[in-house]
Amino acid sequence: MHATVRHPAVAGRFYPGDPNILFYDVQSYLSPQTVPAPALGCVAPHAGYMYSGTVAGAVFAQVDLPQRIIILCPNHTGKGHPLAIMSSGTWETPLGQAPIDSPLADALKKGFPSLTEDADAHRNEHAIEVELPFLQARRPDFTFVPIALGTARFDTLEKLGEAIAAAVHAQAERILIVASSDMNHYESDAITRVKDHKAIERMLALDARGLFDVVMREEISMCGFGPAVVMLTAAKRLGATSAELIKYATSGDVSGDREMVVGYAGVVVR
């Protein structure tokens, strides 16, 4: 049986399709200001690199990446199962192939049986794919588990976070949990910054329930609030004591259009 290869869905659109240009671009976003340190989790954006590359790069430059990584993303396409995992094969980008961590995926499915094997949910979903070139540039030997979430039920997100914490705790090696998320969408720059900082405040307080509640109450269109809730829940269980806002921007900072923007926050949890 051939191993599944998940081919790029947004190369040449969200980021360069040419490997040399892509590598150069990613390196320019990664230029580290500080010495990278280990982390339990992080939030990184997933828009086109022109808009959110500086924020994603700032996050991954500050994290001492372990070999094993779990990446959680929202399901933008609406396809497939609401708790969709892939546990074998590789994902391809112009920089090469990133193998799925099958033993870790199997441990997660065992700990949280609602996770369903579903490549369809991932096939055209960009939110994990755009993180991979950063990881490939920083840690070429990494393996990862992709999980796409199409549920907004807090109890489900919390239970998944607890199951991830248990699975990570049982492994001998360090594992990073990445929540792929943009922030508020398609309102003015001024409104977006106010809304986003309410959500960021809860993330910095490691308050998964508070993040969920403020997103619902304030109608913050943060696409990956589910992944962030899961990551915060897991990180807290694993002993996280602090979270730092590494960088914040909106698309208006690049486009100059302040009427309708998307927000991007980079957060590292240790």
Side-chain angles (χ1 to χ4, degrees):
M1 200 173 105
H2 292 297
T4 313
V5 177
R6 190 269 188 195
H7 298 290
V10 294
R13 291 197 294 135
F14 278 58
Y15 59 84
D18 178 299
N20 296 321
I21 297 170
L22 175 57
F23 188 75
Y24 177 83
D25 257 25
V26 167
Q27 290 295 0
S28 74
Y29 295 132
L30 281 167
S31 30
Q33 287 79 36
T34 57
V35 178
L40 290 164
C42 65
V43 176
H46 54 236
Y49 284 8
M50 174 184 157
Y51 296 108
S52 70
T54 56
V55 177
V59 170
F60 293 122
Q62 294 230 0
V63 176
D64 179 17
L65 293 177
Q67 188 180 355
R68 309 177 81 189
I69 299 172
I70 296 166
I71 312 180
L72 301 143
C73 77
N75 183 331
H76 292 89
T77 66
K79 293 197 175 85
H81 194 273
L83 294 160
I85 190 170
M86 285 177 68
S87 49
S88 63
T90 61
W91 283 39
E92 188 178 65
T93 80
L95 298 186
Q97 296 204 340
I100 290 176
D101 190 325
S102 297
L104 181 54
D106 291 341
L108 291 170
K109 287 193 294 187
K110 199 172 170 190
F112 196 73
S114 302
L115 282 172
T116 301
E117 196 65 38
D118 187 357
D120 281 347
H122 289 278
R123 189 162 289 119
N124 296 308
E125 174 54 61
H126 66 276
I128 288 176
E129 178 183 328
V130 296
E131 313 292 8
L132 297 181
F134 290 98
L135 304 175
Q136 288 173 309
R138 284 280 332 274
R139 179 84 204 228
D141 64 338
F142 83 98
T143 62
F144 77 111
V145 179
I147 299 173
L149 301 177
T151 178
R153 292 177 56 97
F154 180 78
D155 56 342
T156 304
L157 298 169
E158 184 178 52
K159 287 190 178 81
L160 175 57
E162 288 166 355
I164 287 175
V168 168
H169 184 69
Q171 307 298 314
E173 305 85 3
R174 270 197 313 120
I175 293 169
L176 176 71
I177 306 162
V178 177
S180 178
S181 182
D182 294 342
M183 299 299 292
N184 195 59
H185 286 62
Y186 310 137
E187 291 188 273
S188 74
D189 193 86
I191 289 171
T192 289
R193 286 173 190 272
V194 170
K195 285 189 170 187
D196 283 351
H197 281 88
K198 289 177 178 175
I200 289 165
E201 193 180 87
R202 291 299 91 216
M203 290 194 278
L204 299 186
L206 302 175
D207 181 4
R209 178 79 223 197
L211 172 62
F212 181 88
D213 289 343
V214 79
V215 163
M216 293 299 164
R217 186 174 65 244
E218 304 285 341
E219 297 183 341
I220 304 168
S221 52
M222 174 184 178
C223 54
F225 75 87
V229 164
V230 173
M231 182 277 290
L232 289 169
T233 302
K236 197 92 185 281
R237 284 286 171 116
L238 291 164
T241 55
S242 70
E244 183 187 353
L245 178 63
I246 303 299
K247 193 174 178 70
Y248 176 81
T250 75
S251 57
D253 297 335
V254 172
S255 70
D257 174 5
R258 302 283 174 187
E259 296 309 302
M260 197 173 278
V261 306
V262 179
Y264 312 113
V267 174
V268 173
V269 176
R270 294 188 164 103

